[in-house]
Amino acid sequence: MNSASAAQKKTPKQALSATHASGDKRFKMLDATIKRYQYQQDALIEVLHKAQELFGYLESDVLYYVAHSLKLPPSRVYGVATFYHLFSLAPSGAHTCVVCTGTACYVKGAQTILTELEKSARIHAGETTPDSQLSLLTARCLGACGIAPAVVFDGKVLGNQTAESVCEWLRHCFAERN
Amino acid sequence: MDIAELQEIAQKERFSEKPVQIRCCVAAGCLSANSQTVKQRLEESVTSAGLEAQVQVTGVGCMRLCCNGPLVEVKEKNTDSLGTLYEKVTPEDAPSIIATLNGVETTVQKGDLAQPFFTYQMPIVLENSGKVDPERIQSYIAAKGYQALYHVLREMTPAEVVETVTRSGLRGRGGAGYPTGVKWATVAKAKGDAYGARSDRKFVICNADEGDPGAFMDRSVLESDPHRVLEGMAIAAYAVGANQGYIYIRAEYPVAINRLQTAIRQAQRLGILGSQIFDSRFDFKIDIRIGAGAYVCGEETALMASIEGKRGTPNPRPPYPAESGLWGYPTLINNVETYANISPIIRKGADWFASIGTEKSKGTKVFALAGKIRYTGLIEVPMGTPLQRIVEEMGGGVPDGRVVKAVQTGGPSGGCIPASAFDSPVDYESLTQLGSMMGSGGMIVMDDSTNMVDVARFFMEFCMDESCGKCIPCRVGTVQLHQLLTKIREGKASMADLELLEELCDMVKHTSLCGLGQSAPNPVFSTLRYFRDEYLALIAPVTSKT
């Protein structure tokens, strides 16, 4: 049923966009960005930022598409996408939890928080839980050193955290969902 | 746009100021403590108390004392007396703060603006921070903004600008401390691109890729006073003859990116950026380039590679960016804080700036004070201020009755300065002599519960992760160093390992391609120099067995 409704959705959009075979509207939005940068190969990083914003992560289909649009070898696009930490080649979980491991946070016990989170979520930093509910990530420095240790939950920065308070948040998050 | 129009905007802005100013910090530190809601509640409370005619609530940049945010300051217009600072303000506190205007006492925690944390500060870079509204260009213009640019474009030749900056003694605030004037002069003189063809294209870049963990000065400057950086860049562009500028900023700073975009748009609308600025023949455009999370991109050649849409790997120097930089054209790269220093130097003169600081390090430096210390936040002090004063007096010492052990400056490229050396002044030369470096300005205080081998290992892990992989000493060396440090930390190492560690550090330092690798062993060197006993204590049990 899902595929049927998806196919239904596709038809009108396909008429609008001749850019990508799937007719996914997001490719059209990506096209607009590429056009704004006048197909300049130097704008690769900006285009990848936009692609990640639209698709959530950079699947190989998207990378090929970008390579083709900018007339760059796919190896170059893949090379850039894998070089920078912010580009993700795999989908992330429904929730993200980023633990800052900058020096100030480190001195104030960010490592304990991270270990505790890894234990309770049963994943390592940089991984996503098998049910794709939570992605646990680390950041090098959020620049929020005044309120160290800092943790970012779904885009919200929380300061002065402890292992307990973070796990409490985690439970709260999942309780809300179930 | 001419000077009369500029002054008219300033006058209008000053005239519309209401007698009582309530400033609410909306920089990232306080924002994450919910200051946006606080500001909203304050506005609502003013309305419900019927005080709109007398009271104005403004969102301002960083008010320094980040640990006690959200901060709110109540100040009367036209008085020199200190205002009242409220700390840890919650949205529920808003009505009671407004009630104080009618003489009612409040229970909201009050800060002491006369404490050393504030009194030892000397704001030049941060003079507008906490005062002007970063999202309104009028507010910056009212604080004498863009007058320096006007003066430069109308009354100075590019050579005079370079000469003024050289005479001021300003040195690069990104860490290495290269004289800014000399750099400007080199770019101004440079002609032609990498292929030898003569060309007039040049670029100006602002390095806002503040990757050092524990440093947040550049973020605060950009969030609190974005126009000042734009003005500094425009003056630099005029001096060296560039027409295009780029600000390379970390994607981790969304608030700063947003404010910069707003600032650029506002400046363009007023004709302060764009073509024929202030009716002169000078055109200047600024674009923002957002990084994608690579520490190595703070290195100038890697940064330029990243702007060109490539992997951010460094290139050997020479050629220096001043001769062959972005796309092979002469390029000027300076740090955010360096640009922020330019407009006061032009306005108040090179001699005024040169009178501040020490013999070789002029002006002030902004530090991000963090770690195990009572007052964390942003401080700006004259060069040459003793560390003792910063840590003990301004920072209020270490809490919980512990003893301060060391201060880490310069991020992963710097070192740890032990408490015994705290009487030395903070300037480029003294810090280098102590085996650390000025770095971008992160200052992290560690108490006696911190193990220094752990700290060295932490930084090595950072460098290992962030090494771009282009040159072997850095790519392989940092991994080996990290393994050695882990071995020492776990008590499995022998004296031979310690010797190997020192030898390898030396090799990585001298053979790496860029600053990242060359300075990666610094934390190990400095901890070995001052805290060798901690390393030896971890080795002792093994040696006794043999």
Side-chain angles (χ1 to χ4, degrees):
Chain A
M1 191 192 133
N2 244 346
S3 61
S5 66
Q8 259 178 358
K9 265 188 202 164
K10 267 178 195 171
T11 16
K13 277 166 208 158
Q14 226 157 13
L16 283 171
S17 160
T19 50
H20 192 262
S22 73
D24 193 329
K25 200 181 174 187
R26 292 175 295 186
F27 281 104
K28 212 171 141 58
M29 288 156 89
L30 189 59
D31 273 343
T33 307
I34 294 171
K35 203 172 170 188
R36 189 150 47 87
Y37 286 106
Q38 295 159 348
Y39 301 91
Q40 278 177 27
Q41 299 181 335
D42 301 329
L44 176 59
I45 293 173
E46 278 69 39
V47 172
L48 289 178
H49 267 303
K50 185 71 190 174
Q52 177 146 316
E53 189 194 317
L54 290 168
F55 293 88
Y57 69 105
L58 301 171
E59 51 187 334
S60 41
D61 195 28
V62 175
L63 292 178
Y64 274 118
Y65 185 77
V66 170
H68 180 76
S69 304
L70 295 176
K71 294 194 172 64
L72 281 168
S75 60
R76 162 94 188 275
V77 177
Y78 183 75
V80 169
T82 48
F83 181 83
Y84 294 97
H85 295 304
L86 282 181
F87 295 132
S88 155
L89 272 67
S92 61
H95 294 277
T96 53
C97 174
V98 185
V99 181
C100 178
T101 54
T103 321
C105 293
Y106 174 79
V107 169
K108 286 194 154 186
Q111 205 53 47
T112 332
I113 295 177
L114 189 62
T115 321
E116 202 55 44
L117 275 171
E118 285 180 331
K119 238 197 285 175
S120 71
R122 295 202 196 98
I123 46 169
H124 291 290
E127 291 177 357
T128 304
T129 50
D131 60 355
S132 44
Q133 279 296 306
L134 178 81
S135 292
L136 184 60
L137 304 164
T138 55
R140 270 319 177 183
C141 184
L142 300 166
C145 311
I147 51 168
V151 175
V152 190
F153 261 113
D154 291 337
K156 191 174 160 47
V157 184
L158 307 170
N160 301 318
Q161 293 295 300
T162 59
E164 291 82 45
S165 71
V166 174
C167 289
E168 185 55 44
W169 245 94
L170 213 60
R171 270 195 292 280
H172 179 74
C173 252
F174 285 109
E176 218 169 63
R177 237 186 131 72
N178 298 329
Chain B
M1 173 75 86
D2 58 18
I3 195 77
E5 278 174 75
L6 203 65
Q7 273 163 352
E8 197 188 308
I9 294 173
Q11 206 116 53
K12 216 164 142 191
E13 179 72 12
R14 275 193 287 264
F15 189 71
S16 67
E17 251 174 40
K18 292 168 189 171
V20 178
Q21 293 273 326
I22 297 184
R23 295 166 177 161
C24 181
C25 174
V26 288
C30 286
L31 271 186
S32 57
N34 208 8
S35 71
Q36 198 62 45
T37 325
V38 171
K39 186 183 162 231
Q40 221 172 356
R41 282 296 166 80
L42 282 168
E43 280 165 353
E44 285 164 16
S45 306
V46 169
T47 320
S48 61
L51 292 166
E52 292 108 315
Q54 291 100 48
V55 185
Q56 189 175 21
V57 180
T58 34
V60 294
C62 186
M63 295 207 259
R64 325 281 200 279
L65 199 57
C66 302
C67 58
N68 284 348
L71 298 169
V72 171
E73 191 188 7
V74 180
K75 200 170 186 307
E76 277 173 44
K77 193 185 172 186
N78 301 332
T79 53
D80 289 332
S81 64
L82 293 171
T84 319
L85 183 74
Y86 295 99
E87 296 172 341
K88 298 188 177 167
V89 182
T90 60
E92 291 74 46
D93 290 338
S96 105
I97 289 178
I98 302 299
T100 57
L101 300 174
N102 293 325
V104 186
E105 279 298 310
T106 173
T107 52
V108 183
Q109 186 182 328
K110 268 185 208 167
D112 180 12
L113 281 169
Q115 76 189 53
F117 183 86
F118 293 109
T119 50
Y120 279 124
Q121 302 226 14
M122 183 178 196
I124 295 176
V125 171
L126 297 176
E127 67 180 341
N128 290 337
S129 169
K131 292 192 178 113
V132 306
D133 183 345
E135 291 180 342
R136 293 184 62 242
I137 192 170
Q138 293 88 344
S139 186
Y140 179 66
I141 292 175
K144 297 188 182 145
Y146 289 117
Q147 284 186 9
L149 179 63
Y150 186 88
H151 177 77
V152 161
L153 293 185
R154 286 306 187 83
E155 277 151 56
M156 287 169 92
T157 63
E160 280 169 2
V161 181
V162 173
E163 204 266 331
T164 309
V165 173
T166 310
R167 215 153 37 84
S168 75
L170 177 66
R171 291 170 67 176
R173 296 291 192 246
Y178 191 77
T180 308
V182 177
K183 203 188 241 181
W184 285 27
T186 318
V187 182
K189 261 184 257 156
K191 276 220 155 66
D193 59 18
Y195 313 102
R198 285 177 70 87
S199 120
D200 287 332
R201 269 192 101 175
K202 285 177 193 173
F203 294 100
V204 168
I205 298 176
C206 172
N207 184 349
D209 190 60
E210 187 179 46
D212 281 5
F216 53 93
M217 312 74 46
D218 294 351
R219 190 211 66 200
S220 293
V221 171
L222 291 170
E223 283 173 357
S224 311
D225 204 4
H227 284 288
R228 170 181 289 246
V229 179
L230 302 186
E231 185 176 6
M233 282 179 78
I235 294 171
Y238 175 75
V240 302
N243 296 112
Q244 171 70 49
Y246 288 101
I247 300 176
Y248 188 86
I249 184 167
R250 297 177 81 195
E252 285 90 336
Y253 291 170
V255 182
I257 296 172
N258 211 321
R259 298 221 169 121
L260 269 174
Q261 281 165 341
T262 312
I264 292 174
R265 221 173 22 240
Q266 288 170 341
Q268 275 170 346
R269 201 172 306 149
L270 285 182
I272 294 171
L273 285 179
S275 7
Q276 301 182 344
I277 299 171
F278 289 126
D279 299 327
S280 69
R281 277 192 285 173
F282 175 61
D283 305 336
F284 187 54
K285 203 170 140 256
I286 296 181
D287 282 322
I288 296 177
R289 283 285 177 274
I290 297 164
Y295 174 69
V296 72
C297 289
E299 203 276 342
E300 52 188 17
T301 54
L303 185 150
M304 291 188 302
S306 186
I307 291 182
E308 292 173 19
K310 297 179 189 148
R311 290 165 69 100
T313 52
N315 286 313
R317 295 177 300 182
Y320 286 91
E323 284 145 13
S324 165
L326 206 55
W327 293 293
Y329 296 106
T331 304
L332 175 73
I333 299 194
N334 278 134
N335 175 263
V336 172
E337 204 185 321
T338 315
Y339 285 123
N341 268 307
I342 300 299
S343 109
I345 288 175
I346 301 290
R347 252 188 296 128
K348 299 183 188 173
D351 298 326
W352 162 80
F353 192 82
S355 69
I356 303 163
T358 62
E359 196 197 332
K360 284 186 176 163
S361 308
K362 303 294 184 195
T364 59
K365 177 81 190 85
V366 183
F367 290 104
L369 200 56
K372 296 271 181 76
I373 194 157
R374 184 160 291 136
Y375 302 119
T376 59
L378 214 59
I379 55 165
E380 182 173 4
V381 289
M383 292 277 187
T385 305
L387 266 170
Q388 181 79 32
R389 177 176 291 170
I390 294 176
V391 175
E392 294 295 341
E393 294 182 54
M394 299 181 76
V398 179
D400 308 326
R402 289 199 166 267
V403 198
V404 60
K405 186 177 188 174
V407 165
Q408 208 279 338
T409 64
S413 335
C416 299
I417 299 165
S420 56
F422 275 10
D423 51 350
S424 63
V426 174
D427 59 45
Y428 292 101
E429 277 72 27
S430 310
L431 288 181
T432 311
Q433 228 169 29
L434 287 168
S436 183
M437 66 185 273
M438 181 73 88
S440 50
M443 209 176 247
I444 289 149
V445 182
M446 295 165 185
D447 68 7
D448 52 356
S449 68
T450 316
N451 182 295
M452 298 319 264
V453 182
D454 258 352
V455 171
R457 197 176 74 113
F458 166 79
F459 282 119
M460 197 50 72
E461 194 187 336
F462 180 90
C463 293
M464 181 178 79
D465 278 355
E466 295 294 343
S467 173
C468 75
K470 183 166 179 170
C471 72
I472 298 161
C474 178
R475 183 178 68 219
V476 182
T478 50
V479 176
Q480 294 300 327
L481 285 171
H482 182 252
Q483 280 174 0
L484 274 173
L485 286 166
T486 311
K487 200 172 166 191
I488 294 173
R489 185 68 189 105
E490 287 169 353
K492 292 179 189 156
S494 63
M495 275 313 276
D497 287 318
L498 195 62
E499 275 166 38
L500 189 63
L501 179 79
E502 284 180 277
E503 203 180 304
L504 195 56
C505 275
D506 201 56
M507 195 274 288
V508 172
K509 185 188 169 92
H510 288 105
T511 53
S512 291
L513 175 61
C514 81
L516 195 154
Q518 286 161 7
S519 59
N522 280 358
V524 182
F525 276 132
S526 76
T527 46
L528 269 173
R529 178 167 161 192
Y530 297 111
F531 304 98
R532 203 181 181 87
D533 50 331
E534 288 188 27
Y535 283 85
L536 292 174
L538 287 164
I539 284 168
V542 184
T543 43
S544 65
K545 263 188 228 159
T546 48

